[in-house]
């Protein structure tokens, strides 16, 4: 009774946990996908077309992407930048007054406050000059780093753009050349286009950009009430120490004001439900840790559950912090219409929260594999991964040694010529693309006509043909061994298809199967006939066949009825030859014939016994094949012990199952060693 109760408890517990988890997953998906929409992409695309895409209206204007020097930056700032920030004309060139002295980009996006321009500089003599060139060079400006940053005042007057301002926040910008702080020399543009143009001309004439300038940031924010989205824009122009300019743009379309419509409040209810589920999962994991202690961390599924709970708690913390910061800072940032509202910090918090939700949702979907692991196929896959983990770990060491050796080779040889190998990180990603078939052989050959082809051919041969083949061989070998073991093992007690069938039956979407009940009733009728065999006269052979055929049809209602029906007819013919009808015998012989109940019982028992013997035969064959495969693998290591092995002996009859002894079936005779 205890074993029967435990077998029933595991499926019921799994069904309950899976049902609860599906509700949590639906709420989490609704929350995650409700925060994003296609409007974010279209808003970002529109803003990029205004400020980043090249302009074809006039030849003397420079687009943002084509900036290559400090002169190009001033032409962009005085031309396309001001044209994009200040919209005061309709498409018919009719001028309309600005409402509340504010601009509407594309007539729909309200410019919040004013735009800000900020630069970071390095002081002179921030690098060392070789003694041979000290006569020719008196100053040296290195790349940007915190130790070389210039914070001294310069230029005419006491305006803010000529004085260094300390960092307003702890967020640094990760650029293409260096990581930049949030301080520097900054100023805001006036609310009118003419005033902004005069200010930019004044700064250009007085050399606001110097030789020590390493980066310039252009920041502004807009709000679109039609889709309730903020667009925080940052245009970055870096001036490396080697000369020239590098441009990059960042547009963050975020929804900072969360609770406006009824759907937003529905998402709030999803947030509360997700918090409740996370609290339940947390209590479950804490209880498991207390109960199992150190054994808890030996299971990969427990690690996944713990990681999901931790990431979910981080998402909750980020959401609370972001909501609190938005409610505190929005009114403060919009209070000064002449200043720059720094929404970049709030946008970074929103992006971080979205990324955390994405990781949480990813882990939540991966956890589904834990529940469908009761299926035989999924159990084989998970067992294969766990079986080959050690082999893959050892293989990974060899693989990455060779892979990183080629990455360093490519970086040192082609780094100065090809963009794909310009940094060590780019070299690594380029080699991963080469493994997938995405490569540019012409670039490698142009960088070095001798080492380029040598690098390419040897990399493809060793990494693609040899190492990847070894990787697949490890997985295939483990899968073959696991599959052979699962063939010998009994079928899984709980299958996912059985769970969904039971769920459909409970929802009255599918009729319950009556095969088990019909079989039990048939056996009860057989036993009843057996107990009453002395009271009823013996029937004829034709009536026996009809009764047996009718009773057996009730137990073969599944999809295999036709195949089993043919086997049943074959067994009926064999029984008919072994036990002829009573009407064809004399009176003395007829007394030894079987009764109706005995015939039906023998017929059913023979069918079940034949199937059991066939299954036993398959298990024995699979076990012997597994043993032969293991002996074949260990044969090179046991050559010396092979000489002292005892003579072979045949498989004794006592080694076979008892069912095979009573009802012999044609099987192969295998030879084993003692």
């Amino acid at each position: 009774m205890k074993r029967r109760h435990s077998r029933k408890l595991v499926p019921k517990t799994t069904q309950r946990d899976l049902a609860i988890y599906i509700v949590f997953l639906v709420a989490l998906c609704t929350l995650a996908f409700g925060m994003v929409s296609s409007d974010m992409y279209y808003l970002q695309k529109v803003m990029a077309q205004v400020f980043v895409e090249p302009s074809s209206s006039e030849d003397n204007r420079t687009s943002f992407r084509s900036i290559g020097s400090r002169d190009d930056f001033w032409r962009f700032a005085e031309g396309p930048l001001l044209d994009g920030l200040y919209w005061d004309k309709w498409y018919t060139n009719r001028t309309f007054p600005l409402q509340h002295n504010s601009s509407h980009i594309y007539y729909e996006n309200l410019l919040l406050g004013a735009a800000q321009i900020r630069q970071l500089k390095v002081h002179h003599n921030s690098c060392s000059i070789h003694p041979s060139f000290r006569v020719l060079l008196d100053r040296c400006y290195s790349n940007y780093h915190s130790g070389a940053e210039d914070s001294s005042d310069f230029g005419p007057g006491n305006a803010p753009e000529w004085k260094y301002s300390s960092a307003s926040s702890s967020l640094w910008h990760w650029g293409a050349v260096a990581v930049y702080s949030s301080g520097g020399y900054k100023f805001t543009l006036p609310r009118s286009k003419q005033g902004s143009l005069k200010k930019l001309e004044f700064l250009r004439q007085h050399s606001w950009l110097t030789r020590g300038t390493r980066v310039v940031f252009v920041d502004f924010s807009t709000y679109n009430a039609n889709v309730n989205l903020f667009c925080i824009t940052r245009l970055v122009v870096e001036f490396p120490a080697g000369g020239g300019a590098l441009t990059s743009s960042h547009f963050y379309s975020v929804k900072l004001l969360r609770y406006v419509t009824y759907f937003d409040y529905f998402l709030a209810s999803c947030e509360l439900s997700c918090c409740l589920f996370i609290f339940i999962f947390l209590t479950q994991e804490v209880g498991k840790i207390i109960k199992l202690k150190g054994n808890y961390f030996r299971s990969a599924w427990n690690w996944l559950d713990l990681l999901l709970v931790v990431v979910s708690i981080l998402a909750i913390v980020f959401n609370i912090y972001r909501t609190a910061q938005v409610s505190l800072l929005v009114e403060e940032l919009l209070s000064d219409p002449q200043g720059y509202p720094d929404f970049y910090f709030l946008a970074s918090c929103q992006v971080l929260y979205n990324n955390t939700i994405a990781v949480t949702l990813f882990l939540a979907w991966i956890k589904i594999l834990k529940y469908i692991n009761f299926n035989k196929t999924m159990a084989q896959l998970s067992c294969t991964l766990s079986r080959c983990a050690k082999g893959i770990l050892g293989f990974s060491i060899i693989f990455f040694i060779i892979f990183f050796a080629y990455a360093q080779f490519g970086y040192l040889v082609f780094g100065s010529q090809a963009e794909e190998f310009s940094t060590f990180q780019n070299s690594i990603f380029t080699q991963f693309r080469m493994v997938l078939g995405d490569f540019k052989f012409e670039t490698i050959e142009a960088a070095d006509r001798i080492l380029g082809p040598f690098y390419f051919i040897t990399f493809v041969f060793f990494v693609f043909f040899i190492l990847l083949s070894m990787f697949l061989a490890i997985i295939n070998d483990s899968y073959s061994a696991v599959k052979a073991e699962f063939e010998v093992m009994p079928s899984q007690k709980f299958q996912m298809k059985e769970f969904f069938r039971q769920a459909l039956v409970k929802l009255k979407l599918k009729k319950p199967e009556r095969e088990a009940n019909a079989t039990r009733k048939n056996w009860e009728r057989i036993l009843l006939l057996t107990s009453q065999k002395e009271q009823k006269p013996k029937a004829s052979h034709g009536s026996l066949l009809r009764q047996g055929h009718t009773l057996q049809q009730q137990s073969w209602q599944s999809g295999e009825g036709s195949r089993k029906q043919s086997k049943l007819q074959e067994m009926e013919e064999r029984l008919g030859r072994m036990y002829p009808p009573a009407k064809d015998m004399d009176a003395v012989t007829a007394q030894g014939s079987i009764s109706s109940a005995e015939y039906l019982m023998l017929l059913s028992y023979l069918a079940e016994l034949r199937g059991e013997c066939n299954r036993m035969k398959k298990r024995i064959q699979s076990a012997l094949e597994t043993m032969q495969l293991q002996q074949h693998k260990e044969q090179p290591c046991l050559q010396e012990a092979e000489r002292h092995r005892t003579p072979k002996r045949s498989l004794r009859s006592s080694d076979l199952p008892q069912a095979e002894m009573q009802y012999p079936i044609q099987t192969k005779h295998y030879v084993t060693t003692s």
Side-chain angles (χ1 to χ4, degrees), residues 414-423 443-444 447:
F414 316 117
S416 60
Q417 302 291 330
E419 181 182 0
E420 292 81 2
F421 298 89
S422 57
T423 62
T443 304
I444 301 175

Side-chain angles (χ1 to χ4, degrees), residues 177-197:
V177 179
V179 180
Y180 305 98
S181 67
S182 57
Y185 304 88
K186 61 184 70 173
F187 67 94
T188 57
L189 295 176
R191 300 300 299 272
S192 63
K193 185 176 181 180
Q194 296 297 329
S196 300
L197 181 59

Side-chain angles (χ1 to χ4, degrees), residues 372-386:
I372 66 177
N373 196 33
F374 289 93
N375 182 270
K376 184 177 181 180
T377 303
M378 300 305 301
Q380 287 182 0
L381 296 178
S382 61
C383 187
T384 300
L385 295 178
S386 61

Side-chain angles (χ1 to χ4, degrees), residues 140-196:
C140 177
Y141 299 90
S142 66
N143 283 320
Y144 177 84
H145 55 88
S146 58
E149 184 176 357
D150 186 9
S151 59
S152 59
D153 299 341
F154 73 105
N158 295 323
E161 55 266 23
W162 307 104
K163 293 184 178 182
Y164 182 83
S165 300
S166 59
S168 58
S169 63
S170 59
L171 293 179
W172 287 41
H173 181 83
W174 189 0
V177 179
V179 180
Y180 305 98
S181 67
S182 57
Y185 304 88
K186 61 184 70 173
F187 67 94
T188 57
L189 295 176
R191 300 300 299 272
S192 63
K193 185 176 181 180
Q194 296 297 329
S196 300

